[in-house]
Structure formats: structure tokens, C-alpha cells
Amino acid sequence: MKDSQQNSKPSNVSVLKAVQEHLKNMSDLKLQKLGAQDEQIQFLYLSSLADSQKIKDTIITPYYEMKETEDYENYMSSFPGILVLSDARQIEGKILSGYAVISVNEGTLYLFDAARIESTPVTAAETEVIVQGPSDSFNEQLDVNLNLIRHRYQSADLKVETMTIGTQSKTQLALIYDDARVDQSVLEETRVRLGSLSLDILQGSTELDRYLSSSKFNLFPTTIVTERPDRAVFNLSEGKIVIVVDTDGFVVILPVIFNDFFTAMDDKLLPKPVSWFLKSLRYLGLFLTVTLPAIYVAFSSYNTDVWKIQIALLVAGSRATVPYPSFIEVVIMLLMMEFLTEASLRLPKAIGSTATTVGGLILGTAATEAGLVSNIMIILVSVVAISNFVIPLNMMGFSVRILKYGLILLAALFGLVGIVCGCLWLTMYLASLRSFGKPYLRLFGLDRLASGNTNAGRGR
């Protein structure tokens, strides 16, 4: 045993020197030596990634407290998760992820996880606000996010598979599913898509969502990116898959159906009639924000005979000073609304709401007084903007924002017939979509009823 150890010393010394040579010119690369010439400990780490206090407490101080080097080796071997490697490439990779490599008497190379991880604390969700229920959100640390999920889903069937994506970023991600409820075909498809990714850098869940999509030109999202642990846990209970990406406070849920984007998490806490009413309001908001501008264009310029004479006169009187067709009027005001929405997202929070409110009021009042747009147009744009924001998930809200422009164009060209044809095309398009092989426009809860899993998600 001693002979084999003695024989391994030269190779481990050369490995350590090879690692130092490859990582040279890194000012944060630290090599420290402890002890005398014949009883020497060396450890190598990156000070920008490793926790210096942790190294002092677990590596340096115990060395001086132990009389024998053999005791120190036994101490190092007893750490859970300690690695013993002899491959230079593997050791480099570990050092670049925050490990410290420790050489004891130029023999065995131990790799100790000393990574210092900076992340935000668990805070309240900001992009998916609810009235009742838990308010915490994921943060940028994989272990914390797994803890938030496991704390809520204490089942032996909950499986976690980890993998690394990105040749340069080495981003860790976790594939989480309930083994008793997940659709195995979807799970296999997800593994294949993740395994086929060839990326240099992966920085977040939204980026991963884009790479996992079967088509880059889908109008609608086919996965959910959420920051809410309760939404992730609820979907796990329905047999779906959650992908947690390290360094990101959002997770990916798949597969999904269209109705998932109109479900808020506090719907589960409210009486059924109330939750149905709220969900109906969201679908009504979807209908209004997509079709209302197009209906205004069609009825004011193309199918004026549909309205009662009083309403037709009211609209005509309101538009008496407007110098261009209703199509141009609608597009101008909708684009102004888009500018305000984008500005409110990009401006600092302290001034964002004030700037956009004042800007909206001034623009709306000035445009009306100048006769550039009608009073009815201001009301219509306000209704469209408010209706767009009743959709709980922003990913769907972004998609819906562009749909209205296609219907406006059809309304300007063909009137009411164009709107009907556009809605039919939209329905057929939704029916043709698939989320990891599953129909996107599947009826609500039909899948659970078919599988007999009607209690999924209840009581959690």
C-alpha cells in the first residue's frame, strides 16, 4: 500500500504543476503551503470563487491542531463530498467552480468544496403577484430552489436529475419530476432535447426555454417560466416536469396547455364559483385586448351599418376632426401605449410609474385636444391596455400584445369578415401547437380525468 502511494507521488506532483501552469496569469489563483519540507501540505484555489474563511476553518486550523499528517489525511477523507482526483482537466474544472485542491505530502490530491456562492435571499415574488397564499419566490441558488420544492413536496417519488450545460459556463440544472405521475414519453423527450444542446454559455431559464422550443417562430409560449415555488409544486403534482437552472431565480415547467397561462395560484384557494368567475374575466380580457381595436376599425370604416344610428353618429362626431382613417388612428395610439409599457418596464422603479402616468395623461389629453385622435379612441386604448394585464403570466401577455396588430390589418382590408377569418386561423393555429408532444389546446383537466389522477394538486 505504501509502495503504491510512493509510486503515485511523482504523478500527482506533475498533475498539480500542470494545473498551475494552465491557470497561470490568474491573479486570484492562490497557492499556499503549510508545514516543513518533509511534512508539507499545499492547497490551490481561486480566491474570487472560494470562501477564505471556510478554508481557514476547515483546512488551515485543523492542520496545526493535529500532530500527525496521517490524522490530517483521515480528517480530510471524512468530509462528505470530498473528491480524490488525479486528472488535470477534472481538477481544473473543479477549481474553476470554487473547489480547493489539497496535496498532502505531494501524494493524494483532495478536492474540497469551498465555493462562495453569492445570491439574493428568498424574497416575495414580483412578476406573479397574488392576493392570498405564499409569496416567496425562487432565488439564484440551485440548492435553495431544490429546498423550496422539497419542503413543499415531501414524496419519495420526487426525483431529481442534475446535469451540466454549456462548455464555458458549466451551468448546472436539475430535472425534477414525480416518477409516479410523470408522462414517461415527455420525460424522455425532455432528456433528449437537453442532451442535444450544444452551447457555450447558458445563463438562465428563459434562455433555456428558447432552446427547448420545438420551433423558434411560435407565437405562443409552449413552456412556463415562473418564479413561484407553489406553481412549480402544483405542476409537479399534475405530472409535469420542472427544470431548475442554477444562477437563475426562475424555473421552466413543461409540458403546458393554453389554460395554464390563465390560472393564478390563488385560484386554488378561492371557492370554485369565485375562481371560475375570475378565470372568465381573464378570458374576456384576452378577447377584448385582441379584438377590440380591430372591431373599432371594422365598424367605424367598413361595416358602419352594423351599429345603431345613435352610436354611428356618436363615433362619427368623435372622429370629425381626425384627419386620417381609423386604421392609422388605432395603430398610432396602440404604438404609443406600447412605448409607455416598455418605458415603465425599463425605467427605475422610483420614477417609472410616475413618468408613464404623467406621460400617458399628457399624451392622451394633448392628442385629443389637437384633434389627432378621438375621445372614443382614448377609452378603447385604455380598455385594451388594462385587459392585457389581467393575464397572470407575462409570457402569454407578450404574445397577446402582437396578435391585435394582425387582426387590425385584416379589419382594415376586409372588415368584419377579416376579423372572423383571423379568429378562425388563430384557433386552428392553437389547435396545431404541441408542447413536448402534447396538444396545446387540450380541454381543461381532460388529461387528469383520462389518467384517473383527479386528485392531483388538491389539498397541497
Side-chain angles (χ1 to χ4, degrees):
M1 182 66 184
K2 285 185 178 179
D3 291 342
S4 63
Q5 191 174 4
Q6 291 294 330
N7 293 334
S8 68
K9 282 185 178 180
S11 61
N12 286 337
V13 170
S14 62
V15 168
L16 200 59
K17 286 183 177 177
V19 172
Q20 284 181 260
E21 178 64 20
H22 199 246
L23 298 181
K24 66 181 181 181
N25 297 330
M26 291 186 177
S27 60
D28 53 345
L29 182 67
K30 305 295 180 187
L31 174 65
Q32 286 189 247
K33 298 179 180 178
L34 306 176
Q37 191 67 32
D38 53 344
E39 294 284 336
Q40 196 175 65
I41 306 297
Q42 298 183 63
F43 53 96
L44 188 70
Y45 63 98
L46 285 171
S47 61
S48 57
L49 292 175
D51 187 335
S52 57
Q53 187 63 41
K54 193 174 181 181
I55 289 176
K56 179 185 175 185
D57 294 342
T58 56
I59 298 177
I60 299 177
T61 304
Y63 174 75
Y64 289 109
E65 292 175 347
M66 296 180 188
K67 295 180 181 178
E68 302 291 336
T69 307
E70 188 177 349
D71 295 338
Y72 187 73
E73 281 201 76
N74 292 333
Y75 164 76
M76 291 303 304
S77 303
S78 66
F79 272 107
I82 196 83
L83 301 175
V84 178
L85 298 176
S86 58
D87 182 78
R89 288 285 179 175
Q90 290 180 334
I91 292 174
E92 278 178 27
K94 290 297 180 184
I95 291 177
L96 290 171
S97 63
Y99 276 70
V101 56
I102 304 156
S103 167
V104 180
N105 287 340
E106 298 184 347
T108 308
L109 297 179
Y110 296 97
L111 283 114
F112 174 74
D113 186 1
R116 183 182 70 241
I117 299 174
E118 304 289 351
S119 66
T120 57
V122 176
T123 57
E126 294 183 354
T127 60
E128 294 177 58
V129 179
I130 61 173
V131 179
Q132 301 179 47
S135 60
D136 57 341
S137 64
F138 291 117
N139 75 357
E140 293 86 2
Q141 199 171 342
L142 180 62
D143 290 339
V144 174
N145 294 339
L146 291 177
N147 174 276
L148 290 173
I149 292 176
R150 283 223 180 262
H151 183 66
R152 288 176 163 88
Y153 202 101
Q154 299 178 15
S155 168
D157 292 324
L158 188 67
K159 306 300 180 187
V160 179
E161 299 178 14
T162 57
M163 58 188 73
T164 302
I165 302 289
T167 56
Q168 301 298 322
S169 62
K170 307 287 186 188
T171 307
Q172 277 196 315
L173 57 86
L175 190 68
I176 308 173
Y177 55 91
D178 186 323
D179 199 35
R181 302 185 178 195
V182 71
D183 187 320
Q184 294 297 328
S185 63
V186 175
L187 181 60
E188 189 57 33
E189 175 71 16
T190 306
R191 286 173 177 153
V192 169
R193 291 194 192 186
L194 287 173
S196 64
L197 290 180
S198 178
L199 306 172
D200 291 333
I201 302 288
L202 177 66
Q203 298 195 76
S205 299
T206 308
E207 188 182 0
L208 177 67
D209 168 65
R210 185 163 57 86
Y211 291 125
L212 287 178
S213 177
S214 57
S215 172
K216 309 302 179 191
F217 299 100
N218 279 344
L219 278 176
F220 294 93
T222 53
T223 61
I224 288 177
V225 178
T226 181
E227 63 172 343
R228 297 193 61 87
D230 54 346
R231 185 181 287 278
V233 167
F234 174 74
N235 282 276
L236 282 170
S237 72
E238 289 197 316
K240 296 178 183 175
I241 298 169
V242 173
I243 302 176
V244 183
V245 179
D246 198 19
T247 71
D248 193 0
F250 290 80
V251 304
V252 180
I253 298 173
L254 59 95
V256 296
I257 61 173
F258 187 69
N259 183 54
D260 289 338
F261 293 92
F262 294 86
T263 303
M265 289 316 298
D266 46 1
D267 289 351
K268 314 296 175 189
L269 309 175
L270 298 171
K272 283 293 180 186
V274 178
S275 64
W276 290 339
F277 172 73
L278 293 177
K279 189 171 286 188
S280 301
L281 278 183
R282 294 178 199 128
Y283 278 104
L284 179 60
L286 170 68
F287 176 77
L288 289 177
T289 194
V290 172
T291 61
L292 200 57
I295 290 174
Y296 175 80
V297 171
F299 285 0
S300 60
S301 301
Y302 216 104
N303 304 94
T304 54
D305 52 334
V306 174
W307 282 349
K308 286 186 177 180
I309 185 65
Q310 293 89 344
I311 299 177
L313 290 174
L314 179 66
V315 173
S318 176
R319 297 197 68 256
T321 60
V322 180
Y324 31 71
S326 60
F327 167 70
I328 304 294
E329 180 189 11
V330 167
V331 170
I332 289 175
M333 289 308 296
L334 288 179
L335 286 178
M336 293 306 297
M337 184 190 70
E338 300 287 357
F339 293 151
L340 284 172
T341 304
E342 279 299 300
S344 65
L345 292 175
R346 312 300 170 195
L347 284 172
K349 289 182 180 177
I351 60 172
S353 58
T354 305
T356 51
T357 302
V358 172
L361 288 173
I362 292 175
L363 275 176
T365 306
T368 308
E369 290 180 352
L372 297 176
V373 296
S374 64
N375 293 326
I376 294 177
M377 191 65 237
I378 298 296
I379 299 171
L380 184 144
V381 169
S382 303
V383 172
V384 169
I386 294 170
S387 303
N388 204 130
F389 293 124
V390 302
I391 300 173
L393 288 166
N394 291 325
M395 297 174 68
M396 180 58 73
F398 291 144
S399 301
V400 168
R401 277 168 63 180
I402 66 171
L403 287 178
K404 60 175 78 74
Y405 295 101
L407 286 184
I408 290 172
L409 180 61
L410 289 173
L413 294 174
F414 307 109
L416 192 56
V417 174
I419 297 175
V420 173
C421 291
C423 291
L424 285 174
W425 175 86
L426 188 60
T427 305
M428 289 189 290
Y429 174 73
L430 285 169
S432 69
L433 282 181
R434 294 288 183 273
S435 174
F436 285 77
K438 299 299 176 184
Y440 192 62
L441 209 56
R442 191 174 53 206
L443 291 180
F444 316 155
L446 187 61
D447 189 56
R448 291 201 305 273
L449 291 172
S451 63
N453 186 18
T454 55
N455 291 322
R458 294 180 187 174
R460 295 183 184 281

